[in-house]
Amino acid sequence: MSENFLDLTDVTVRSVSVSEMNNNIYLVTSKSDGSQLLIDAADDVPAIDSLVDSASSDSGVATKLEGIATTHQHWDHIRALHEYAERTGAKTYAGTEDVKGIADGADVAIDVPLNHGDTVTVGTTIMECVHLRGHTPGSIAYVLRDSGGTTVIFSGDSLFPGGVGNTENDPKRFTSLLDDVTTRLFEQYPDETLVLPGHGATTTLGAERPSLKEWRARGW
């Protein structure tokens, strides 16, 4: 199982794809203080262990997993959440409207419910929280602004290469999601912003921006 690696000024971002759903799990490690944030404990605890082990040398000091942020409540993104939160004692984060779904699906009481505009601070790493309504009621994208000039969006299942997330053919949900993605991501961050989705390959806002009108016209 291969891992991907992104080396920025302030942090490293390691990722691995797991399960029959090819879920992406991301691990952000601060170079300055070793604090770590896991994004989507989707499945496959041994694979997460390997990711954490691989990052142990990414900082000049000892690394420690301090937070687990969940992008949304769907079962394929939370299957390892209970075990990993219980084992590590890491603080858990998720969108307010998805907290109950995560409690029901993973038996995890989220420590910090998140709303649009909130931040997640783990050591020296700060993530901006962007609420994207439509794929689930409480989907959150986590945005990292590295001091080297790179911005990274961990978009969960709200934005992929080629379109927004599944809204189950519900026109109201689709419009809500595309409106939020347009105004809260594309109108706020530059073209070179990296988008790291919940499944599939990394893209950029610039690569996807020309297709926004096409997505709206096709309705998915």
Side-chain angles (χ1 to χ4, degrees):
M1 188 175 296
S2 62
E3 296 178 4
N4 294 313
F5 179 68
L6 178 63
D7 190 13
L8 302 178
T9 300
D10 302 328
V11 303
T12 63
V13 181
R14 292 182 179 269
S15 65
V16 64
S17 177
V18 301
S19 86
E20 73 281 8
M21 300 291 288
N22 294 318
N23 293 83
N24 291 328
I25 299 173
Y26 299 99
L27 180 68
V28 180
T29 301
S30 168
K31 293 183 178 181
S32 63
D33 66 6
S35 58
Q36 295 177 314
L37 177 69
L38 188 71
I39 299 177
D40 280 354
D43 197 13
D44 198 338
V45 167
I48 301 175
D49 285 341
S50 177
L51 200 64
V52 172
D53 289 344
S54 295
S56 61
S57 60
D58 289 355
S59 174
V61 298
T63 56
K64 182 182 179 182
L65 183 67
E66 297 187 2
I68 304 174
T70 299
T71 59
H72 64 291
Q73 65 179 295
H74 283 162
W75 67 277
D76 59 310
H77 290 261
I78 60 174
R79 285 183 281 184
L81 180 58
H82 177 89
E83 181 173 346
Y84 231 77
E86 190 172 70
R87 185 210 293 181
T88 63
K91 187 175 289 188
T92 55
Y93 305 83
T96 297
E97 288 83 355
D98 277 9
V99 165
K100 184 180 184 302
I102 292 169
D104 292 344
D107 191 26
V108 173
I110 294 297
D111 296 314
V112 184
L114 302 169
N115 298 300
H116 183 66
D118 287 347
T119 57
V120 172
T121 301
V122 175
T124 57
T125 301
I126 299 173
M127 295 278 188
E128 302 168 14
C129 300
V130 181
H131 186 194
L132 302 171
R133 299 157 291 188
H135 182 65
T136 66
S139 288
I140 296 287
Y142 299 94
V143 183
L144 170 72
R145 297 181 190 258
D146 189 78
S147 68
T150 300
T151 300
V152 181
I153 299 173
F154 300 90
S155 61
D157 284 4
S158 291
L159 177 62
F160 297 104
V164 296
N166 183 13
T167 51
E168 299 178 330
N169 298 314
D170 183 328
K172 184 176 180 180
R173 285 174 56 193
F174 170 76
T175 299
S176 173
L177 180 54
L178 186 54
D179 284 351
D180 277 358
V181 163
T182 300
T183 61
R184 296 182 173 185
L185 295 182
F186 283 94
E187 292 180 5
Q188 301 300 320
Y189 302 99
D191 279 353
E192 61 268 22
T193 299
L194 297 175
V195 178
L196 277 58
H199 309 263
T202 297
T203 186
T204 65
L205 289 183
E208 306 305 323
R209 191 185 302 275
S211 301
L212 285 171
K213 289 183 179 179
E214 175 191 338
W215 298 351
R216 193 174 295 277
R218 77 187 185 192
W220 56 274

